[in-house]
Amino acid sequence: MIPIAILVGGLGTRLRPITKTIPKSLLEVAGEPFIAHQLRELARQGIQNVVICVGYLGEQIEEFVKDGSEYGIYVQYSYETNDLLGTGGAIRNALHLLTDDFFVLYGDSWLDIDYRSVYESFQNSGKTALMTVYRNEGRWDTSNVEMDGNRIIFYSKTKRNPRMTHIDYGLGILKPNIFEQYPEGANFDLAEIYESLSDSGRLASFEAKNRFYEIGSHDGLNELNQLIKHKKEVK
């Protein structure tokens, strides 16, 4: 399976004051730091190599995860050393560790999806990148993807229209050469890349059937805590 980059460099402002001293990825969910659940699930799905793009309080994450061997996975780190670079800039900064196609996952997302099926869909698409999408209809957040059947017509976080029924699910696949136009150290958002790819017809889609969960807010953190606790109890 291809490697995965996990974006964990954000400031977690919606969770202040907790995240003034601890990064979101280390917030406790069902008795242990969230990133432990994430890495264990990735290993279960056959992913062997992880690049964690760290920024704010990133040294705490490396101190906890170490080389990933405890989770049956090999982990490397890419640091944003001075200024935060945005989600796109963080990946551009990590390209020396990502030399071929790779997954991208947000560090505050919990996804119930089959990664191998997503990758096979990308391989069969002939496209430059893939975005997983979910039929949202404005329920979990503001919809930002316009679809035509299984095809992405347009994705944008800023240029929304009433035809947008889906939302970015939080898992993508990208090729390194997508980032060639950006110099190292540039600050930009991954959404900018996805919008450009969708506009030029180069963005494949994979529709997730199960809703996503997140720990970016207090409500989301509490909800996921209950979900994973319940899963542990029924095992």
Side-chain angles (χ1 to χ4, degrees):
M1 189 92 79
I2 58 174
I4 189 163
I6 307 179
L7 297 164
V8 301
L11 298 174
T13 52
R14 287 186 293 164
L15 290 165
R16 293 290 172 91
I18 308 171
T19 48
K20 279 198 168 184
T21 56
I22 184 171
K24 266 193 299 188
S25 289
L26 294 185
L27 293 177
E28 186 178 302
V29 173
E32 60 184 333
F34 174 64
I35 199 167
H37 298 287
Q38 245 186 355
L39 293 176
R40 203 175 292 118
E41 173 63 13
L42 294 176
R44 186 187 73 80
Q45 296 236 20
I47 290 172
Q48 298 174 314
N49 294 290
V50 174
V51 174
I52 302 181
C53 299
V54 289
Y56 179 67
L57 301 177
E59 66 283 351
Q60 291 186 29
I61 296 171
E62 183 170 7
E63 185 179 343
F64 174 74
V65 174
K66 300 183 174 62
D67 66 357
S69 56
E70 183 179 337
Y71 307 97
I73 210 162
Y74 175 58
V75 175
Q76 299 178 86
Y77 299 87
S78 173
Y79 274 85
E80 299 170 57
T81 50
N82 296 316
D83 300 317
L84 294 181
L85 301 173
T87 51
I91 295 171
R92 172 66 182 85
N93 190 53
L95 286 187
H96 62 289
L97 301 173
L98 298 163
T99 56
D100 210 338
D101 302 346
F102 57 92
F103 285 109
V104 176
L105 174 67
Y106 297 114
D108 60 2
S109 295
W110 179 256
L111 309 178
D112 183 5
I113 195 168
D114 182 68
Y115 285 69
R116 187 166 296 281
S117 295
V118 176
Y119 180 49
E120 288 172 357
S121 179
F122 172 66
Q123 286 182 304
N124 294 330
S125 73
K127 303 285 188 181
T128 307
L130 179 143
M131 173 187 283
T132 55
V133 298
Y134 180 71
R135 191 169 190 92
N136 178 58
E137 305 284 1
R139 285 175 295 172
W140 310 113
D141 205 337
T142 307
S143 296
N144 52 29
V145 183
E146 180 183 349
M147 301 288 292
D148 178 12
N150 296 323
R151 189 166 66 93
I152 293 176
I153 299 295
F154 188 56
Y155 162 84
S156 179
K157 281 186 173 180
T158 56
K159 303 171 189 172
R160 293 191 169 101
N161 68 58
R163 299 178 300 279
M164 289 176 164
T165 53
H166 289 64
I167 195 168
D168 172 10
Y169 188 68
L171 178 69
I173 298 178
L174 299 166
K175 292 180 177 292
N177 61 13
I178 293 170
F179 297 87
E180 286 176 351
Q181 61 180 303
Y182 295 94
E184 194 169 352
N187 184 322
F188 62 100
D189 199 282
L190 189 55
E192 182 182 324
I193 295 278
Y194 282 136
E195 181 173 328
S196 174
L197 290 166
S198 73
D199 210 21
S200 57
R202 294 179 293 155
L203 184 60
S205 71
F206 183 96
E207 185 165 358
K209 301 303 180 186
N210 303 312
R211 63 155 290 198
F212 58 89
Y213 293 82
E214 50 80 25
I215 61 161
S217 66
H218 289 286
D219 287 345
L221 185 61
N222 291 335
E223 186 178 34
L224 184 60
N225 189 52
Q226 294 305 314
L227 176 78
I228 294 183
K229 274 184 176 178
H230 176 70
K231 284 188 174 183
K232 283 184 171 181
E233 287 168 2
V234 297
K235 275 188 178 179

